[in-house]
Amino acid sequence: MQGIWFSELQTPGLALSVKLKKTLHHEKTPYQDLAVVETESYGRMLLLDNIIQTTVGDEFFYHEMIAHVPLNTHPNPRTALVIGGGDGGVIREIIKHPSIEKATLVEIDARVVANAREYLPEISCGLDDARVEIRFEDGIEHVRQMENTYDVIIVDSTDPIGPAVGLFSAEFYRNVYRALKPDGLFVAQTESPLFNGRLIRRIQRDLAEIFPIARLYLATVPTYPGGLWSFSLGSKEYDPLEVDWKKAPQLVTRFYTPAIHQGAFALPPFVQEIL
Ligand code: AG3
């Protein structure tokens, strides 16, 4: 293969390789190794510790599905919290909802936000909206301190390695429950059903113990391991399968639609088996 390629080792035996045009930026932040590269097929791409976080070419699959499923499940979401998500993609989707009065981004690494603003304007453009508050702090600590505060919480974390491990724990989910309003709900990205079945099973069981409604949904994300990604949802009151679509806002999207929302909860037999 000619030229310079970046390969993410997605599992010990599987790599995804992307041909690079150039490296736009590379630094060691206090938390991680950060790079923004220009790729031939997916446009600009953000890497944290050599793991693909997002690309301009396919980010909308993930950001629309992690944001609009919970926001349309809630009949009137006014306050939303994003944990992680320093590239701004989830915030950009949240502020499409006219009911949103305040969207809080809690990102541990200020350098992710700074670099997204500089190199990924298509993704970070929502961060300047007047309804958005950005806090550079530990999301785990933040939810520990909050009570009865948010309608929707979205956990847009890195993989469960290093600092993100705590974002996949039952203790964290209990704190999320407390940080939510009495009819609130939350969603977290929960990795690949093909490669992380045991993790997903454990998370779904933890959520079922904490929330009256616990569900799993799926979406394609071309640059993530296995190409099929999972999202775990815990809700105090509203069921994502019972949305009153007549009352849902009209959204301009490229992946998400009401039919895709409904269909995302249809689980293939191999996924039902891991639960
Ligand atoms: N959150 C990262 C999802 C995990 C991707 N994992 C991987 N490529 N091995 C994405 C941040 C986007 N806002």
Side-chain angles (χ1 to χ4, degrees):
M1 293 195 288
Q2 295 269 308
I4 298 169
W5 291 70
F6 165 80
S7 293
E8 177 184 329
L9 201 56
Q10 296 186 326
T11 77
L14 178 68
L16 176 71
S17 297
V18 191
K19 191 172 186 181
L20 301 186
K21 284 193 185 158
K22 64 173 167 193
T23 297
L24 298 163
H25 183 75
H26 185 200
E27 71 175 272
K28 299 242 185 256
T29 79
Y31 297 94
Q32 52 210 338
D33 182 281
L34 182 156
V36 183
V37 296
E38 178 84 41
T39 76
E40 213 166 273
S41 300
Y42 283 127
R44 291 185 178 188
M45 177 166 92
L46 173 67
L47 301 168
L48 295 177
D49 290 334
N50 287 315
I51 290 177
I52 299 174
Q53 298 303 315
T54 198
T55 81
V56 168
D58 77 339
E59 55 84 13
F60 60 99
F61 291 63
Y62 174 91
H63 290 132
E64 292 183 11
M65 288 301 284
I66 201 171
H68 301 311
V69 170
L71 288 162
N72 274 344
T73 297
H74 195 294
N76 184 32
R78 292 184 292 134
T79 52
L81 167 67
V82 179
I83 294 178
D87 52 67
V90 181
I91 290 286
R92 183 196 64 204
E93 296 306 312
I94 289 175
I95 61 174
K96 289 180 181 174
H97 289 253
S99 63
I100 288 290
E101 293 164 4
K102 185 157 185 206
T104 306
L105 179 75
V106 172
E107 161 65 56
I108 199 165
D109 191 343
R111 297 303 302 156
V112 176
V113 173
N115 282 291
R117 283 187 190 280
E118 173 143 12
Y119 297 106
L120 305 169
E122 307 89 333
I123 302 176
S124 61
C125 52
L127 293 174
D128 293 322
D129 188 279
R131 294 167 290 173
V132 176
E133 182 196 4
I134 306 178
R135 302 172 72 115
F136 297 114
E137 50 189 55
D138 183 351
I140 297 174
E141 257 320 299
H142 183 82
V143 294
R144 204 176 274 151
Q145 288 159 10
M146 294 293 142
E147 215 171 309
N148 190 14
T149 307
Y150 299 107
D151 293 313
V152 174
I153 296 177
I154 298 173
V155 182
D156 179 16
S157 71
T158 51
D159 293 340
I161 327 171
V165 169
L167 297 171
F168 293 79
S169 73
E171 186 196 347
F172 172 71
Y173 301 144
R174 280 190 289 271
N175 290 331
V176 164
Y177 184 97
R178 219 171 1 89
L180 286 167
K181 296 223 174 106
D183 60 350
L185 71 151
F186 113 105
V187 167
Q189 76 83 2
T190 49
E191 305 288 308
S192 158
L194 204 46
F195 299 122
N196 302 91
R198 286 172 54 168
L199 173 79
I200 294 169
R201 176 199 186 94
R202 201 262 302 147
I203 291 170
Q204 285 292 316
R205 288 178 183 204
D206 287 347
L207 293 183
E209 279 187 14
I210 298 165
F211 289 87
I213 298 167
R215 297 206 187 277
L216 185 74
Y217 65 95
L218 304 174
T220 295
V221 184
T223 53
Y224 289 174
L228 179 67
W229 209 244
S230 80
F231 303 88
S232 291
L233 183 149
S235 179
K236 294 189 181 183
E237 188 168 327
Y238 306 116
D239 187 334
L241 289 171
E242 272 157 33
V243 175
D244 183 352
W245 292 108
K246 295 185 298 295
K247 293 193 183 138
Q250 292 291 318
L251 302 169
V252 178
T253 54
R254 289 195 289 159
F255 188 88
Y256 177 92
T257 68
I260 285 175
H261 172 127
Q262 293 284 141
F265 291 87
L267 303 178
F270 92 90
V271 178
Q272 288 177 30
E273 276 163 25
I274 65 176
L275 295 181

